[in-house]
Amino acid sequence: MRIARFQDPAGNVHYGVPIDEANANRLEGDLYQGLSETGDTVAVSNWLAPVAAVNIFGIGLNYRAHAEETGAQIPEHPILFMKPTTSATGPSDPILLPASCDRGPEVDYEAELAVVIGRAAKDVSEAQALDYVLGYTCSNDVSARRWQKHGGARQWVRGKSFDAFCPLGPVLVTADEIPDPQNLEVRCVLNGETMQSGNTSDMIFSVAQLIAHLSRDTTLLPGTLILTGTPPGVGFARKPPVFLADGDIVRVEIEGIGVLENSVINAG
Ligand code: ZN
């Protein structure tokens, strides 16, 4: 099932299956216990992130070709960081260029497969891990590179935490429709030009390995998102570098899931 979350014109929030850009078949029930069709067609005024995230984990340098383009060594363990839930935003909303990024362009895109945990996972084995996945969506791990590398005292979190730095959507595709998450094409297209292109088969740590690793002595609640890393072609590693600017349109495209498209505007 392809599940979207949206506001109707009265501001009520629903889950639904998109019909077109402005209408959805409303679903009822609980995202984690099960949604069922109502047969109602509802007008959509605003598409939201398909999940209200309860935690957002990010994984750094998880594609071999991306680790190579940054000059970094292949990690021995997953490089873990977190993004606050306040960074999450939907497919209808713009990416905001922070006012505190005022020393020149530095805001970058990272197209990523996002995993949505469906039931509490703790100490799960790699073999069981995918049983805990509700589904998948597209994400953009937007990153302010100067803040990431120099403004966070060696922690990446500062540069990845600004408001609207985690677009999600357009839909959550349930896990039954993605039998192999390790064979999906992932692309980022900026103003019509392909910037990133890769396949999840290039991941250093698979989705199952990441869930097993993250759940060790740690509860992954339903609604936890894991952003699984980004393929090569990020802006800062290009020659010359490319950074997001006011008026840009950035698309994350993942095979079998869809297209997450956001505009970019100055927040200041
Ligand atoms: Zn990332």
Side-chain angles (χ1 to χ4, degrees), residues 1 3 15 27-37 118 134:
M1 186 179 269
I3 303 168
Y15 292 103
L27 300 169
E28 65 183 2
D30 181 272
L31 179 63
Y32 303 103
Q33 303 298 323
L35 292 167
S36 53
E37 294 178 11
L134 177 66

Side-chain angles (χ1 to χ4, degrees), residues 58-61 66 81 110-112 141 143 156 160 227-230:
I59 306 298
L61 303 176
H66 173 57
F81 61 92
E110 292 190 355
E112 308 203 5
D141 176 21
S143 304
W156 291 356
K160 289 174 174 279
L227 275 52
T228 53
T230 202

Side-chain angles (χ1 to χ4, degrees), residues 229-248:
T230 202
V234 295
F236 85 86
R238 302 181 76 88
K239 295 181 178 57
V242 174
F243 293 110
L244 298 177
D246 187 75
D248 282 350

Side-chain angles (χ1 to χ4, degrees), residues 58-210:
I59 306 298
L61 303 176
N62 197 31
Y63 283 70
R64 285 176 188 80
H66 173 57
E68 287 163 7
E69 77 175 341
T70 67
Q73 291 185 331
I74 300 295
E76 288 181 39
H77 304 284
I79 297 173
L80 180 62
F81 61 92
M82 296 190 77
K83 291 169 84 80
T85 55
T86 44
S87 67
T89 194
S92 298
D93 294 318
I95 294 165
L96 304 174
L97 300 175
S100 61
C101 295
D102 56 357
R103 295 173 58 203
E106 64 166 302
V107 179
D108 206 345
Y109 50 81
E110 292 190 355
E112 308 203 5
L113 175 69
V115 178
V116 181
I117 298 294
R119 57 193 176 100
K122 183 174 181 179
D123 293 323
V124 302
S125 68
E126 187 182 329
Q128 297 170 315
L130 295 185
D131 296 344
Y132 291 80
V133 175
L134 177 66
Y136 302 89
T137 190
C138 305
S139 62
N140 192 337
D141 176 21
V142 179
S143 304
R145 298 302 187 192
R146 205 177 282 114
W147 280 106
Q148 180 185 350
K149 292 174 183 172
H150 308 296
R154 299 185 186 174
Q155 295 278 341
W156 291 356
V157 175
R158 173 64 290 187
K160 289 174 174 279
S161 292
F162 295 108
D163 285 357
F165 265 33
C166 190
L168 298 164
V171 293
L172 182 155
V173 178
T174 50
D176 58 302
E177 296 194 16
I178 309 282
D180 182 7
Q182 303 309 143
N183 187 21
L184 302 173
E185 292 289 323
V186 178
R187 284 169 18 114
C188 181
V189 178
L190 177 63
N191 302 327
E193 184 180 348
T194 299
M195 307 302 279
Q196 291 185 273
S197 183
N199 189 288
T200 57
S201 61
D202 187 39
M203 283 185 187
I204 296 164
F205 301 103
S206 68
V207 171
Q209 287 173 325
L210 292 172

